[in-house]
PDB file of all heavy atoms in Angstrom:
ATOM      1  N   SER V  75       8.216  21.084 -22.360  1.00  0.00           N
ATOM      2  CA  SER V  75       7.927  19.936 -23.220  1.00  0.00           C
ATOM      3  C   SER V  75       6.976  20.269 -24.352  1.00  0.00           C
ATOM      4  O   SER V  75       6.770  19.464 -25.242  1.00  0.00           O
ATOM      5  CB  SER V  75       7.316  18.800 -22.386  1.00  0.00           C
ATOM      6  OG  SER V  75       6.057  19.203 -21.877  1.00  0.00           O
ATOM      7  N   GLY V  76       6.376  21.466 -24.305  1.00  0.00           N
ATOM      8  CA  GLY V  76       5.395  21.816 -25.318  1.00  0.00           C
ATOM      9  C   GLY V  76       4.067  21.121 -25.085  1.00  0.00           C
ATOM     10  O   GLY V  76       3.235  21.030 -25.973  1.00  0.00           O
ATOM     11  N   GLU V  77       3.844  20.607 -23.864  1.00  0.00           N
ATOM     12  CA  GLU V  77       2.646  19.833 -23.595  1.00  0.00           C
ATOM     13  C   GLU V  77       1.562  20.635 -22.893  1.00  0.00           C
ATOM     14  O   GLU V  77       0.596  20.081 -22.397  1.00  0.00           O
ATOM     15  CB  GLU V  77       2.997  18.589 -22.769  1.00  0.00           C
ATOM     16  CG  GLU V  77       3.811  17.590 -23.560  1.00  0.00           C
ATOM     17  CD  GLU V  77       3.946  16.269 -22.836  1.00  0.00           C
ATOM     18  OE1 GLU V  77       3.178  16.016 -21.909  1.00  0.00           O
ATOM     19  OE2 GLU V  77       4.834  15.496 -23.207  1.00  0.00           O
ATOM     20  N   GLY V  78       1.712  21.963 -22.802  1.00  0.00           N
ATOM     21  CA  GLY V  78       0.644  22.751 -22.226  1.00  0.00           C
ATOM     22  C   GLY V  78      -0.561  22.739 -23.139  1.00  0.00           C
ATOM     23  O   GLY V  78      -0.421  22.743 -24.353  1.00  0.00           O
ATOM     24  N   THR V  79      -1.755  22.726 -22.559  1.00  0.00           N
ATOM     25  CA  THR V  79      -3.026  22.768 -23.283  1.00  0.00           C
ATOM     26  C   THR V  79      -3.190  21.616 -24.271  1.00  0.00           C
ATOM     27  O   THR V  79      -3.769  21.771 -25.330  1.00  0.00           O
ATOM     28  CB  THR V  79      -3.218  24.105 -24.034  1.00  0.00           C
ATOM     29  OG1 THR V  79      -2.256  24.213 -25.088  1.00  0.00           O
ATOM     30  CG2 THR V  79      -3.079  25.284 -23.116  1.00  0.00           C
ATOM     31  N   THR V  80      -2.681  20.439 -23.938  1.00  0.00           N
ATOM     32  CA  THR V  80      -2.893  19.301 -24.831  1.00  0.00           C
ATOM     33  C   THR V  80      -4.178  18.551 -24.492  1.00  0.00           C
ATOM     34  O   THR V  80      -4.623  17.746 -25.287  1.00  0.00           O
ATOM     35  CB  THR V  80      -1.717  18.308 -24.778  1.00  0.00           C
ATOM     36  OG1 THR V  80      -1.569  17.834 -23.442  1.00  0.00           O
ATOM     37  CG2 THR V  80      -0.435  18.957 -25.234  1.00  0.00           C
ATOM     38  N   MET V  81      -4.745  18.783 -23.309  1.00  0.00           N
ATOM     39  CA  MET V  81      -5.953  18.075 -22.907  1.00  0.00           C
ATOM     40  C   MET V  81      -7.117  19.051 -22.778  1.00  0.00           C
ATOM     41  O   MET V  81      -6.935  20.234 -22.470  1.00  0.00           O
ATOM     42  CB  MET V  81      -5.740  17.362 -21.571  1.00  0.00           C
ATOM     43  CG  MET V  81      -4.606  16.358 -21.560  1.00  0.00           C
ATOM     44  SD  MET V  81      -4.849  14.950 -22.687  1.00  0.00           S
ATOM     45  CE  MET V  81      -6.055  13.991 -21.758  1.00  0.00           C
ATOM     46  N   MET V  82      -8.316  18.533 -23.042  1.00  0.00           N
ATOM     47  CA  MET V  82      -9.527  19.325 -22.855  1.00  0.00           C
ATOM     48  C   MET V  82     -10.430  18.591 -21.877  1.00  0.00           C
ATOM     49  O   MET V  82     -10.394  17.362 -21.766  1.00  0.00           O
ATOM     50  CB  MET V  82     -10.255  19.551 -24.183  1.00  0.00           C
ATOM     51  CG  MET V  82     -10.757  18.286 -24.852  1.00  0.00           C
ATOM     52  SD  MET V  82     -11.598  18.605 -26.425  1.00  0.00           S
ATOM     53  CE  MET V  82     -11.989  16.923 -26.948  1.00  0.00           C
ATOM     54  N   LYS V  83     -11.239  19.357 -21.164  1.00  0.00           N
ATOM     55  CA  LYS V  83     -12.178  18.791 -20.200  1.00  0.00           C
ATOM     56  C   LYS V  83     -13.566  18.769 -20.830  1.00  0.00           C
ATOM     57  O   LYS V  83     -14.050  19.784 -21.331  1.00  0.00           O
ATOM     58  CB  LYS V  83     -12.186  19.628 -18.924  1.00  0.00           C
ATOM     59  CG  LYS V  83     -13.108  19.099 -17.837  1.00  0.00           C
ATOM     60  CD  LYS V  83     -13.155  20.041 -16.642  1.00  0.00           C
ATOM     61  CE  LYS V  83     -11.838  20.068 -15.909  1.00  0.00           C
ATOM     62  NZ  LYS V  83     -11.940  20.866 -14.647  1.00  0.00           N
ATOM     63  N   ALA V  84     -14.202  17.593 -20.818  1.00  0.00           N
ATOM     64  CA  ALA V  84     -15.552  17.452 -21.352  1.00  0.00           C
ATOM     65  C   ALA V  84     -16.481  17.077 -20.202  1.00  0.00           C
ATOM     66  O   ALA V  84     -16.231  16.109 -19.485  1.00  0.00           O
ATOM     67  CB  ALA V  84     -15.596  16.374 -22.435  1.00  0.00           C
ATOM     68  N   THR V  85     -17.543  17.847 -20.026  1.00  0.00           N
ATOM     69  CA  THR V  85     -18.458  17.653 -18.907  1.00  0.00           C
ATOM     70  C   THR V  85     -19.901  17.649 -19.392  1.00  0.00           C
ATOM     71  O   THR V  85     -20.263  18.410 -20.289  1.00  0.00           O
ATOM     72  CB  THR V  85     -18.285  18.782 -17.870  1.00  0.00           C
ATOM     73  OG1 THR V  85     -16.920  18.839 -17.460  1.00  0.00           O
ATOM     74  CG2 THR V  85     -19.157  18.545 -16.647  1.00  0.00           C
ATOM     75  N   GLY V  86     -20.723  16.785 -18.802  1.00  0.00           N
ATOM     76  CA  GLY V  86     -22.137  16.779 -19.131  1.00  0.00           C
ATOM     77  C   GLY V  86     -22.701  15.384 -19.230  1.00  0.00           C
ATOM     78  O   GLY V  86     -22.202  14.439 -18.609  1.00  0.00           O
ATOM     79  N   SER V  87     -23.765  15.270 -20.031  1.00  0.00           N
ATOM     80  CA  SER V  87     -24.423  13.980 -20.251  1.00  0.00           C
ATOM     81  C   SER V  87     -24.607  13.777 -21.749  1.00  0.00           C
ATOM     82  O   SER V  87     -25.157  14.643 -22.437  1.00  0.00           O
ATOM     83  CB  SER V  87     -25.787  13.932 -19.548  1.00  0.00           C
ATOM     84  OG  SER V  87     -25.638  13.990 -18.137  1.00  0.00           O
ATOM     85  N   GLY V  88     -24.135  12.649 -22.223  1.00  0.00           N
ATOM     86  CA  GLY V  88     -24.247  12.362 -23.652  1.00  0.00           C
ATOM     87  C   GLY V  88     -23.173  11.399 -24.095  1.00  0.00           C
ATOM     88  O   GLY V  88     -22.447  10.825 -23.273  1.00  0.00           O
ATOM     89  N   ARG V  89     -23.052  11.209 -25.382  1.00  0.00           N
ATOM     90  CA  ARG V  89     -22.036  10.338 -25.961  1.00  0.00           C
ATOM     91  C   ARG V  89     -21.006  11.191 -26.701  1.00  0.00           C
ATOM     92  O   ARG V  89     -21.358  11.968 -27.594  1.00  0.00           O
ATOM     93  CB  ARG V  89     -22.663   9.330 -26.924  1.00  0.00           C
ATOM     94  CG  ARG V  89     -23.627   8.357 -26.270  1.00  0.00           C
ATOM     95  CD  ARG V  89     -23.988   7.209 -27.216  1.00  0.00           C
ATOM     96  NE  ARG V  89     -24.545   7.697 -28.469  1.00  0.00           N
ATOM     97  CZ  ARG V  89     -25.848   7.899 -28.676  1.00  0.00           C
ATOM     98  NH1 ARG V  89     -26.718   7.691 -27.701  1.00  0.00           N
ATOM     99  NH2 ARG V  89     -26.290   8.315 -29.844  1.00  0.00           N
ATOM    100  N   LEU V  90     -19.774  11.031 -26.318  1.00  0.00           N
ATOM    101  CA  LEU V  90     -18.678  11.771 -26.926  1.00  0.00           C
ATOM    102  C   LEU V  90     -17.785  10.795 -27.663  1.00  0.00           C
ATOM    103  O   LEU V  90     -17.378   9.766 -27.117  1.00  0.00           O
ATOM    104  CB  LEU V  90     -17.879  12.518 -25.852  1.00  0.00           C
ATOM    105  CG  LEU V  90     -16.558  13.160 -26.276  1.00  0.00           C
ATOM    106  CD1 LEU V  90     -16.787  14.245 -27.318  1.00  0.00           C
ATOM    107  CD2 LEU V  90     -15.842  13.742 -25.037  1.00  0.00           C
ATOM    108  N   TYR V  91     -17.471  11.101 -28.912  1.00  0.00           N
ATOM    109  CA  TYR V  91     -16.616  10.236 -29.725  1.00  0.00           C
ATOM    110  C   TYR V  91     -15.277  10.935 -29.969  1.00  0.00           C
ATOM    111  O   TYR V  91     -15.237  12.081 -30.429  1.00  0.00           O
ATOM    112  CB  TYR V  91     -17.292   9.922 -31.063  1.00  0.00           C
ATOM    113  CG  TYR V  91     -18.600   9.185 -30.899  1.00  0.00           C
ATOM    114  CD1 TYR V  91     -19.804   9.874 -30.824  1.00  0.00           C
ATOM    115  CD2 TYR V  91     -18.622   7.798 -30.804  1.00  0.00           C
ATOM    116  CE1 TYR V  91     -21.010   9.188 -30.665  1.00  0.00           C
ATOM    117  CE2 TYR V  91     -19.820   7.102 -30.649  1.00  0.00           C
ATOM    118  CZ  TYR V  91     -21.009   7.812 -30.572  1.00  0.00           C
ATOM    119  OH  TYR V  91     -22.199   7.139 -30.414  1.00  0.00           O
ATOM    120  N   VAL V  92     -14.189  10.236 -29.648  1.00  0.00           N
ATOM    121  CA  VAL V  92     -12.859  10.810 -29.816  1.00  0.00           C
ATOM    122  C   VAL V  92     -11.963   9.844 -30.581  1.00  0.00           C
ATOM    123  O   VAL V  92     -12.118   8.617 -30.498  1.00  0.00           O
ATOM    124  CB  VAL V  92     -12.205  11.176 -28.459  1.00  0.00           C
ATOM    125  CG1 VAL V  92     -12.971  12.286 -27.759  1.00  0.00           C
ATOM    126  CG2 VAL V  92     -12.121   9.945 -27.551  1.00  0.00           C
ATOM    127  N   ALA V  93     -11.028  10.400 -31.332  1.00  0.00           N
ATOM    128  CA  ALA V  93     -10.088   9.608 -32.121  1.00  0.00           C
ATOM    129  C   ALA V  93      -8.835  10.445 -32.342  1.00  0.00           C
ATOM    130  O   ALA V  93      -8.826  11.651 -32.082  1.00  0.00           O
ATOM    131  CB  ALA V  93     -10.713   9.205 -33.454  1.00  0.00           C
ATOM    132  N   ASP V  94      -7.781   9.801 -32.837  1.00  0.00           N
ATOM    133  CA  ASP V  94      -6.519  10.507 -33.050  1.00  0.00           C
ATOM    134  C   ASP V  94      -5.841   9.993 -34.320  1.00  0.00           C
ATOM    135  O   ASP V  94      -5.091   9.025 -34.288  1.00  0.00           O
ATOM    136  CB  ASP V  94      -5.603  10.325 -31.838  1.00  0.00           C
ATOM    137  CG  ASP V  94      -4.367  11.211 -31.904  1.00  0.00           C
ATOM    138  OD1 ASP V  94      -4.391  12.211 -32.653  1.00  0.00           O
ATOM    139  OD2 ASP V  94      -3.382  10.910 -31.208  1.00  0.00           O
ATOM    140  N   TYR V  95      -6.149  10.614 -35.443  1.00  0.00           N
ATOM    141  CA  TYR V  95      -5.515  10.315 -36.727  1.00  0.00           C
ATOM    142  C   TYR V  95      -5.564   8.834 -37.099  1.00  0.00           C
ATOM    143  O   TYR V  95      -4.616   8.284 -37.665  1.00  0.00           O
ATOM    144  CB  TYR V  95      -4.068  10.804 -36.728  1.00  0.00           C
ATOM    145  CG  TYR V  95      -3.941  12.306 -36.675  1.00  0.00           C
ATOM    146  CD1 TYR V  95      -3.691  12.955 -35.464  1.00  0.00           C
ATOM    147  CD2 TYR V  95      -4.091  13.093 -37.824  1.00  0.00           C
ATOM    148  CE1 TYR V  95      -3.590  14.337 -35.406  1.00  0.00           C
ATOM    149  CE2 TYR V  95      -3.992  14.471 -37.765  1.00  0.00           C
ATOM    150  CZ  TYR V  95      -3.742  15.092 -36.561  1.00  0.00           C
ATOM    151  OH  TYR V  95      -3.654  16.457 -36.502  1.00  0.00           O
ATOM    152  N   GLY V  96      -6.657   8.161 -36.760  1.00  0.00           N
ATOM    153  CA  GLY V  96      -6.822   6.770 -37.152  1.00  0.00           C
ATOM    154  C   GLY V  96      -5.956   5.781 -36.390  1.00  0.00           C
ATOM    155  O   GLY V  96      -5.862   4.609 -36.784  1.00  0.00           O
ATOM    156  N   LYS V  97      -5.355   6.206 -35.291  1.00  0.00           N
ATOM    157  CA  LYS V  97      -4.539   5.295 -34.499  1.00  0.00           C
ATOM    158  C   LYS V  97      -5.425   4.326 -33.719  1.00  0.00           C
ATOM    159  O   LYS V  97      -6.565   4.633 -33.384  1.00  0.00           O
ATOM    160  CB  LYS V  97      -3.650   6.100 -33.537  1.00  0.00           C
ATOM    161  CG  LYS V  97      -2.616   6.945 -34.259  1.00  0.00           C
ATOM    162  CD  LYS V  97      -2.007   7.997 -33.353  1.00  0.00           C
ATOM    163  CE  LYS V  97      -1.162   7.405 -32.250  1.00  0.00           C
ATOM    164  NZ  LYS V  97      -0.519   8.460 -31.429  1.00  0.00           N
ATOM    165  N   LYS V  98      -4.904   3.145 -33.427  1.00  0.00           N
ATOM    166  CA  LYS V  98      -5.629   2.162 -32.650  1.00  0.00           C
ATOM    167  C   LYS V  98      -5.799   2.668 -31.220  1.00  0.00           C
ATOM    168  O   LYS V  98      -4.879   3.257 -30.645  1.00  0.00           O
ATOM    169  CB  LYS V  98      -4.892   0.822 -32.618  1.00  0.00           C
ATOM    170  CG  LYS V  98      -4.619   0.205 -33.988  1.00  0.00           C
ATOM    171  CD  LYS V  98      -5.882  -0.310 -34.638  1.00  0.00           C
ATOM    172  CE  LYS V  98      -5.551  -1.028 -35.943  1.00  0.00           C
ATOM    173  NZ  LYS V  98      -6.757  -1.505 -36.652  1.00  0.00           N
ATOM    174  N   VAL V  99      -6.969   2.419 -30.643  1.00  0.00           N
ATOM    175  CA  VAL V  99      -7.258   2.855 -29.277  1.00  0.00           C
ATOM    176  C   VAL V  99      -7.227   1.648 -28.353  1.00  0.00           C
ATOM    177  O   VAL V  99      -7.809   0.605 -28.657  1.00  0.00           O
ATOM    178  CB  VAL V  99      -8.629   3.550 -29.187  1.00  0.00           C
ATOM    179  CG1 VAL V  99      -8.896   4.017 -27.753  1.00  0.00           C
ATOM    180  CG2 VAL V  99      -8.701   4.727 -30.151  1.00  0.00           C
ATOM    181  N   ARG V 100      -6.559   1.798 -27.224  1.00  0.00           N
ATOM    182  CA  ARG V 100      -6.493   0.748 -26.213  1.00  0.00           C
ATOM    183  C   ARG V 100      -7.033   1.313 -24.904  1.00  0.00           C
ATOM    184  O   ARG V 100      -6.573   2.362 -24.447  1.00  0.00           O
ATOM    185  CB  ARG V 100      -5.051   0.276 -25.998  1.00  0.00           C
ATOM    186  CG  ARG V 100      -4.304  -0.032 -27.294  1.00  0.00           C
ATOM    187  CD  ARG V 100      -4.718  -1.356 -27.879  1.00  0.00           C
ATOM    188  NE  ARG V 100      -4.198  -1.526 -29.235  1.00  0.00           N
ATOM    189  CZ  ARG V 100      -4.156  -2.686 -29.872  1.00  0.00           C
ATOM    190  NH1 ARG V 100      -4.571  -3.773 -29.264  1.00  0.00           N
ATOM    191  NH2 ARG V 100      -3.699  -2.751 -31.103  1.00  0.00           N
ATOM    192  N   VAL V 101      -8.000   0.626 -24.306  1.00  0.00           N
ATOM    193  CA  VAL V 101      -8.586   1.071 -23.043  1.00  0.00           C
ATOM    194  C   VAL V 101      -8.029   0.215 -21.910  1.00  0.00           C
ATOM    195  O   VAL V 101      -8.046  -1.017 -21.985  1.00  0.00           O
ATOM    196  CB  VAL V 101     -10.123   0.975 -23.070  1.00  0.00           C
ATOM    197  CG1 VAL V 101     -10.704   1.381 -21.718  1.00  0.00           C
ATOM    198  CG2 VAL V 101     -10.694   1.868 -24.175  1.00  0.00           C
ATOM    199  N   LEU V 102      -7.537   0.871 -20.873  1.00  0.00           N
ATOM    200  CA  LEU V 102      -7.014   0.194 -19.691  1.00  0.00           C
ATOM    201  C   LEU V 102      -7.778   0.680 -18.466  1.00  0.00           C
ATOM    202  O   LEU V 102      -8.201   1.839 -18.409  1.00  0.00           O
ATOM    203  CB  LEU V 102      -5.523   0.506 -19.505  1.00  0.00           C
ATOM    204  CG  LEU V 102      -4.595   0.214 -20.685  1.00  0.00           C
ATOM    205  CD1 LEU V 102      -3.203   0.749 -20.391  1.00  0.00           C
ATOM    206  CD2 LEU V 102      -4.550  -1.273 -20.979  1.00  0.00           C
ATOM    207  N   TYR V 103      -7.955  -0.203 -17.489  1.00  0.00           N
ATOM    208  CA  TYR V 103      -8.576   0.193 -16.227  1.00  0.00           C
ATOM    209  C   TYR V 103      -7.552   0.045 -15.114  1.00  0.00           C
ATOM    210  O   TYR V 103      -7.078  -1.068 -14.835  1.00  0.00           O
ATOM    211  CB  TYR V 103      -9.814  -0.655 -15.926  1.00  0.00           C
ATOM    212  CG  TYR V 103     -10.568  -0.157 -14.702  1.00  0.00           C
ATOM    213  CD1 TYR V 103     -11.402   0.953 -14.791  1.00  0.00           C
ATOM    214  CD2 TYR V 103     -10.413  -0.779 -13.464  1.00  0.00           C
ATOM    215  CE1 TYR V 103     -12.080   1.432 -13.681  1.00  0.00           C
ATOM    216  CE2 TYR V 103     -11.081  -0.309 -12.346  1.00  0.00           C
ATOM    217  CZ  TYR V 103     -11.921   0.797 -12.457  1.00  0.00           C
ATOM    218  OH  TYR V 103     -12.586   1.279 -11.348  1.00  0.00           O
ATOM    219  N   LEU V 104      -7.181   1.153 -14.508  1.00  0.00           N
ATOM    220  CA  LEU V 104      -6.203   1.147 -13.429  1.00  0.00           C
ATOM    221  C   LEU V 104      -6.917   0.956 -12.095  1.00  0.00           C
ATOM    222  O   LEU V 104      -7.943   1.595 -11.832  1.00  0.00           O
ATOM    223  CB  LEU V 104      -5.410   2.456 -13.408  1.00  0.00           C
ATOM    224  CG  LEU V 104      -4.706   2.889 -14.696  1.00  0.00           C
ATOM    225  CD1 LEU V 104      -3.882   4.150 -14.449  1.00  0.00           C
ATOM    226  CD2 LEU V 104      -3.829   1.777 -15.239  1.00  0.00           C
ATOM    227  N   GLU V 105      -6.387   0.082 -11.271  1.00  0.00           N
ATOM    228  CA  GLU V 105      -6.927  -0.139  -9.930  1.00  0.00           C
ATOM    229  C   GLU V 105      -5.856   0.229  -8.916  1.00  0.00           C
ATOM    230  O   GLU V 105      -5.059  -0.610  -8.518  1.00  0.00           O
ATOM    231  CB  GLU V 105      -7.365  -1.598  -9.773  1.00  0.00           C
ATOM    232  CG  GLU V 105      -8.506  -1.994 -10.717  1.00  0.00           C
ATOM    233  CD  GLU V 105      -9.013  -3.410 -10.468  1.00  0.00           C
ATOM    234  OE1 GLU V 105      -9.728  -3.607  -9.474  1.00  0.00           O
ATOM    235  OE2 GLU V 105      -8.681  -4.294 -11.271  1.00  0.00           O
TER     236      GLU V 105
END
Side-chain angles (χ1 to χ4, degrees):
S75 65
E77 291 190 17
T79 67
T80 59
M81 302 297 284
M82 63 180 178
K83 182 185 292 187
T85 304
S87 294
R89 296 192 304 270
L90 170 63
Y91 299 92
V92 295
D94 189 20
Y95 293 98
K97 294 165 67 177
K98 302 289 185 182
V99 181
R100 312 283 169 165
V101 177
L102 305 173
Y103 187 78
L104 306 185
E105 297 185 75

